[in-house]
Structures are given as structure tokens and as C-alpha cells.
Amino acid sequence: MSNAPSTVIFDMDDVLCRYHFHRRLERLSEMTGVTPEFINHVIWEQGFDEEGDAGRYTAEEYHRLFCERIGAPLSREQWLEARAISIEPDHEVLDMARRVKRNAALSLLTNNGPLLKESIDIVFPEVAEIFGVHAHFSCEFDTCKPDPQVFLRLTDHLRAKPGETLFIDDTASYIEGAQAAGLMTHHFQSASKLRPVLEEYGLLI
């Protein structure tokens, strides 16, 4: 196709993997003795985790404040273990990403903070293997999806043209943010629906 993208950006959770948030909460609860409901409330519902995703904290600050908020000690290794438990790799999509890499510049953009960024090779080694230094986290850009600025800052960093960049994500509002920034988009629903899109662009050769 003449309008095939020169750069392709994948989301991570619920695209490259199935994200089982409940498993994460349950493991955190087992480790700390704090109820899953309380952890969810003080970390996610009150917006603390999103602040981390937006680059407000260093990895050390995030870890310290996480423990303070839940009122229990938790090692960095335990936090990473709970995050890893939540990830079920989608090997079909990961294989497509490997093939796309042969035909276009490949990148990743996930709403996540510095603690995961520093240890992605431990938590989700396939991401480190496939995307390498082009695995990007929203905390690097001081804002999160769906803010159009995060897409513009990433494409600028990649020296990619927004209109020649395909963004793949499962969240409708993030797709809308990418479109507002001028990117091409695919609203991910399944590997079987993504494959023909990438094939039509000639990205799976």
C-alpha cells in the first residue's frame, strides 16, 4: 500500500499481553496482608499510580510512597513479582511485532512509570527483546495517553512523522488521542483482527 506506515507503535497491556489486574492485587495482598480493595483504592482509584505514569516520581520515590500509602513494607522485588504475575504474553501478537520490525521502525508506548521501565527485562522479557531501547514509557514524556502531547513527544523523539506512524492500542480514548495528534491508528481487539491490517500494509512480509 502506498500509505504504509514507516513507524509502528504498539501498546503493551492488553495488546502484547493479557493484563490480569486482579492477579496483581491478590499477590500484593498476599505479600503485605493489606486487602486488595484498600490497595486498589489508595494506589489506583486515588490517582497515585497515574501520577507515576505521568513522570511525577522517580522509581525510588514511587516505591517509597507506594509502601507509605498501603501502610506496609514491600520490597522492590516483590512489587516487580506482582507486576509480572499480571502479564500473560500474547505470543501471536509478539510474533507479529517481530515481523513488523523487519519492515518498519518499531516502538512501544505504555502508560507506566519508572519502576517498571527500569526492570522491564525482568517483568516482561519479550518486550525488552523485541523493542529494546525503543520500549517507551509515558513517564519519560511527563504526560500519559490519551493526551495528544505524549504521541507528539514520542514521534519527535523517534524522528518519525505522525502521519506516517501507526499506533495500535486497545483503549478507545487513547486511539482518539493519537488521532488528534495526527497518527494513523488501529483499535486493537484481537490478534486475528490485527493481522489483516498489518498484512494489508505489507508489514508482515
Side-chain angles (χ1 to χ4, degrees), residues 126-143:
E126 292 90 343
V127 162
E129 171 229 326
I130 297 168
F131 295 89
V133 298
H134 298 298
H136 291 288
F137 294 69
S138 55
C139 61
E140 300 171 47
F141 304 104
D142 297 324
T143 188

Side-chain angles (χ1 to χ4, degrees), residues 30-200:
E30 291 169 0
M31 291 170 169
T32 62
V34 181
T35 67
E37 294 78 13
F38 183 78
I39 295 172
N40 184 41
H41 179 65
V42 298
I43 300 299
W44 282 277
E45 291 179 351
Q46 291 188 346
F48 168 73
D49 192 66
E50 186 174 355
E51 291 175 349
D53 293 350
R56 181 169 175 179
Y57 310 114
T58 65
E60 292 73 20
E61 289 169 339
Y62 177 90
H63 178 223
R64 174 177 56 81
L65 291 169
F66 188 101
C67 295
E68 288 181 5
R69 279 180 162 266
I70 66 173
L74 184 77
S75 71
R76 184 187 184 107
E77 291 72 24
Q78 287 176 314
W79 188 95
L80 293 170
E81 178 189 334
R83 188 60 170 94
I85 284 172
S86 72
I87 291 172
E88 180 187 351
D90 188 324
H91 293 288
E92 186 176 357
V93 179
L94 290 166
D95 181 62
M96 281 190 272
R98 289 187 182 95
R99 294 173 66 184
V100 166
K101 192 176 181 179
R102 304 172 193 164
N103 301 289
L106 185 69
S107 186
L108 174 140
L109 178 62
T110 177
N111 273 4
N112 271 292
L115 193 52
L116 182 59
K117 173 180 166 55
E118 290 182 3
S119 301
I120 192 63
D121 58 326
I122 297 171
V123 174
F124 196 170
E126 292 90 343
V127 162
E129 171 229 326
I130 297 168
F131 295 89
V133 298
H134 298 298
H136 291 288
F137 294 69
S138 55
C139 61
E140 300 171 47
F141 304 104
D142 297 324
T143 188
C144 300
K145 298 178 285 186
D147 183 356
Q149 284 300 313
V150 75
F151 302 103
L152 294 174
R153 291 170 188 173
L154 174 56
T155 52
D156 182 64
H157 174 77
L158 297 173
R159 297 183 180 179
K161 296 179 179 179
E164 297 177 5
T165 299
L166 174 64
F167 175 64
I168 301 163
D169 202 294
D170 63 298
T171 303
S173 63
Y174 298 174
I175 290 293
E176 292 169 2
Q179 290 171 344
L183 278 69
M184 307 161 65
T185 60
H186 172 72
H187 187 186
F188 181 86
Q189 295 175 300
S190 67
S192 62
K193 291 184 178 180
L194 174 61
R195 182 177 297 278
V197 173
L198 298 178
E199 287 177 339
E200 188 175 2

